[in-house]
Amino acid sequence: MDTDLVRLAQNGDKGAFTSLAAARADRFLAASHRILRDLSLAEDATQQALLSIWRDLPQLRDPARFDAWSYRLLVRACYAEAGQTRRWAPNIRLLPADEPIAADELSSVVNRDQLDRGFRRISLDHRTVVVLHHYLDLPLDQVAEALGIPVGTVASRLHYAMRALRAALDADARSTTRKVAQ
Amino acid sequence: MSTDRDVTRIVRSWLHEDAHEDADRVLNSVLDQLETTTQRRPWWPARRFLSMNNNARIALAAAAVVVVGLIGYELLIASNVGGPPPAPSSTPSAPTASELPALPMPGARVSSAGEYGWTGELGSVAGMHNVVVDDGTSAFRQTQIVFAVENDCFGSPGGSTPTTVTAAGFHGLYVEAYEPPDERIVMFTEQGLETTGAYALAIGDRTLCVYLSWDPTTTAAELAAARAVIESLRAEPVGATSIRITFTLEAGWDTG
């Protein structure tokens, strides 16, 4: 754990902060890229998050909570970036995921575009939970801490998001099947 | 047959694909800005509160309650000085085609209060959000107002029994906890958790649907602010099937 570095950085040690930031920048950028689905916005969010960390670090009471706290600032920066670019657009209510789909059908049509489309269809809240849990591998309680919401809400969002992604994949698969049939 | 585990595996695999992100440029930019970015020192006296005895804590807490109460009282008094809000200037019974200016929707985030508007044909929809992000957490909540020109604002079942309502001087019906009939009206948030109140207001011989949606965490003040937007409505029929509206927005609203 970097608690010593955190304490030094809290007292204005730029070298210590540089070490902390360098160890996390790639991960921050990758996570924010996946949340925002836009590299330029992700770079802005990452930069803003790192600067916020530096600026507010003296106010972190427990250096051992640094990682969860820094993820919280990253998520806030992502929301801020997303808020600046939100556009009024028809929301897509996803199809129910009750109907099972064949694994071979799923595997044959799944590709990056389909996943990307499905991921863009779910809300920022849901994308964030999916990325924190399935990409950063944070357990649900740490996701909850990073987001400042109850664990139950995290679980609910994750459940919804995965169900919605499955439904989106299913819808795309069916669309592809129909096009092929035509 | 696919399982949730299949989807989880596929999603995890996709998320972990190398996207060729390189944060060096970002990191260098951040390090360049450190010199000019001042650290914020904590405002609380470090550890002093922990060392207080119980009587001192209670006294401090009581003092804080008194101060907050006084501030709240002052704000309450101040907010009532102006008296009740002015009655809406528009009347539904005598619309005039040239009465309202054709104003645009806000578009970008509104930075100060102003007058906006929209002209919608039958079947068209326009909406706006007020997104509030908590300073202390990443949580955000929103209120949303969607205007639609439709013949039937309550096109799907659900919600309370329609009650008569008057909003901004226009008479109509209101249903709350309503499942909107149109996907475009569902808030871009945790679907299924928001509440939607649907107004069907008579604008001359036409119907203006107004859908007000809010999150479970939306505060009473934020909801009141959204209702104030609706109360600021002025509306009139224009053309063959359209309705023109204007309304007042406070800072924070946008169409995104």
Side-chain angles (χ1 to χ4, degrees):
Chain A
M1 186 57 191
D2 301 319
T3 50
D4 291 340
L5 285 175
V6 173
R7 287 196 183 91
L8 288 169
Q10 283 185 304
N11 289 313
D13 187 324
K14 294 186 178 67
F17 174 78
T18 301
S19 298
L20 290 170
R24 288 162 179 79
D26 283 343
R27 200 165 164 78
F28 274 23
L29 180 60
S32 55
H33 187 192
R34 282 155 181 77
I35 291 170
L36 293 166
R37 317 304 307 156
D38 182 298
L39 184 56
S40 175
L41 291 178
E43 287 179 342
D44 288 347
T46 300
Q47 177 171 321
Q48 195 52 51
L50 291 173
L51 282 171
S52 296
I53 289 171
W54 165 254
R55 194 179 55 227
D56 294 338
L57 199 48
Q59 303 191 32
L60 174 65
R61 298 191 189 214
D62 182 0
R65 317 299 302 172
F66 175 76
D67 276 325
W69 176 78
S70 64
Y71 282 131
R72 178 179 288 207
L73 295 188
L74 177 67
V75 170
R76 283 175 62 183
C78 287
Y79 275 103
E81 287 301 320
Q84 289 174 11
T85 59
R86 292 165 73 94
R87 295 284 180 271
W88 181 259
N91 186 28
I92 297 170
R93 186 180 277 281
L94 295 160
L95 299 173
D98 298 337
E99 287 185 56
I101 52 178
D104 55 347
E105 182 186 3
L106 184 67
S107 59
S108 66
V109 297
V110 165
N111 58 35
R112 291 183 184 85
D113 288 343
Q114 286 170 337
L115 275 167
D116 189 54
R117 270 201 301 277
F119 213 57
R120 286 174 192 274
R121 285 180 193 172
I122 62 176
S123 73
L124 186 64
D125 283 337
H126 294 105
R127 289 203 299 268
T128 302
V129 170
V130 170
V131 170
L132 293 184
H133 184 62
H134 285 308
Y135 178 69
L136 294 178
D137 294 323
L138 298 183
L140 295 187
D141 59 336
Q142 288 186 28
V143 175
E145 187 174 356
L147 295 177
I149 58 177
V151 176
T153 306
V154 172
S156 165
R157 287 184 185 176
L158 191 62
H159 173 77
Y160 174 87
M162 297 308 289
R163 195 188 67 168
L165 279 174
R166 183 180 175 192
L169 291 170
D170 185 18
D172 275 335
R174 289 175 196 284
S175 170
T176 305
T177 305
R178 276 199 299 272
K179 284 176 184 170
V180 169
Q182 289 168 359
Chain B
M1 306 295 277
S2 76
T3 64
D4 288 343
R5 199 177 301 165
D6 290 331
V7 178
T8 299
R9 177 178 51 78
I10 291 166
V11 169
R12 287 181 68 88
S13 172
W14 173 66
L15 285 172
H16 282 87
E17 281 181 356
D18 185 5
H20 305 293
E21 296 108 342
D22 183 356
D24 284 352
R25 193 168 59 83
V26 175
L27 184 60
N28 289 334
S29 174
V30 169
L31 298 179
D32 287 344
Q33 294 179 63
L34 288 190
E35 292 296 336
T36 55
T37 306
T38 308
Q39 286 191 312
R40 289 177 183 157
R41 295 292 145 189
W43 57 267
W44 60 83
R47 300 185 186 281
R48 188 169 298 167
F49 196 83
L50 294 175
S51 64
M52 285 181 180
N53 64 36
N54 282 341
N55 288 339
R57 289 186 201 185
I58 291 168
L60 186 60
V65 168
V66 169
V67 169
V68 169
L70 285 173
I71 292 171
Y73 180 77
E74 289 293 325
L75 288 174
L76 198 63
I77 295 297
S79 67
N80 287 331
V81 165
S89 58
S90 57
T91 56
S93 56
T96 307
S98 59
E99 186 176 312
L100 294 180
L103 299 176
M105 288 292 283
R109 202 170 181 82
V110 175
S111 57
S112 58
E115 193 80 3
Y116 296 87
W118 175 67
T119 303
E121 297 177 352
L122 184 64
S124 60
V125 169
M128 54 206 177
H129 299 275
N130 186 11
V131 180
V132 179
V133 182
D134 278 336
D135 288 338
T137 72
S138 61
F140 83 100
R141 57 190 183 275
Q142 60 182 325
T143 45
Q144 174 185 277
I145 297 173
V146 177
F147 303 110
V149 181
E150 297 285 354
N151 292 322
D152 178 10
C153 301
F154 311 133
S156 67
S160 59
T161 304
T163 56
T164 57
V165 70
T166 301
F170 298 105
H171 302 300
L173 294 174
Y174 177 76
V175 172
E176 191 163 297
Y178 184 67
E179 178 79 11
D182 191 324
E183 291 170 345
R184 293 174 292 182
I185 296 161
V186 178
M187 271 207 297
F188 192 57
T189 182
E190 186 94 17
Q191 292 175 1
L193 289 184
E194 70 259 30
T195 302
T196 297
Y199 298 76
L201 302 177
I203 311 297
D205 61 348
R206 294 153 207 189
T207 303
L208 176 68
C209 308
V210 183
Y211 301 96
L212 169 61
S213 302
W214 62 92
D215 280 324
T217 51
T218 297
T219 67
E222 289 157 1
L223 192 52
R227 292 194 192 283
V229 174
I230 295 173
E231 285 299 327
S232 74
L233 266 176
R234 296 191 299 155
E236 64 180 14
V238 293
T241 61
S242 300
I243 294 176
R244 176 170 296 166
I245 62 173
T246 67
F247 48 90
T248 303
L249 287 184
E250 299 297 327
W253 287 85
D254 62 46
T255 50

